[in-house]
Amino acid sequence: MREEFAADWAVILRGDVALATSGSQVPALSVLEALATGTAASPSVAAGDTGPDDLAVAPFPAGDLVLLVGRDGHPFRRRERRQLLALARIADRVGSIMPG
């Protein structure tokens, strides 16, 4: 997915644990936690309407996971942010119906 968004890095966080990372420029875990916490406090960011230029955030509907995607060079557009939110919803739904 990182490649589809022309991103430098992507991370799935559960609390203070990085469950999956991709890319060579992934920020430190403490930075990722701060980004996830800060963006979660904004309804506009949670809706995909806005956010830092170099970061797109997608909380999973179940509430315990968040996907963070970062890139330098060109800002994330609203359409991309909403696509990322849609992917997180799909992944959350698939995860909820899979056995195990």
Side-chain angles (χ1 to χ4, degrees):
M1 176 205 347
R2 179 178 58 84
E3 294 85 10
E4 286 79 11
F5 285 90
D8 298 320
W9 57 269
V11 175
I12 296 178
L13 285 182
R14 176 178 282 143
D16 61 353
V17 177
L19 298 179
T21 63
S22 177
S24 60
Q25 301 172 1
V26 178
L29 185 57
S30 60
V31 172
L32 294 170
E33 288 178 73
L35 290 170
T37 301
T39 57
S42 170
S44 295
V45 173
D49 293 331
T50 189
D53 284 348
D54 60 350
L55 179 68
V57 180
F60 283 55
D64 63 339
L65 298 175
V66 63
L67 172 61
L68 297 104
V69 179
R71 70 178 180 208
D72 288 327
H74 57 284
F76 282 97
R77 296 175 299 230
R78 181 182 298 178
R79 178 178 56 88
E80 292 174 303
R81 294 176 191 282
R82 291 194 174 168
Q83 287 172 337
L84 195 66
L85 286 167
L87 289 172
R89 285 191 302 270
I90 292 166
D92 190 64
R93 179 67 179 136
V94 169
S96 73
I97 61 174
M98 295 295 290

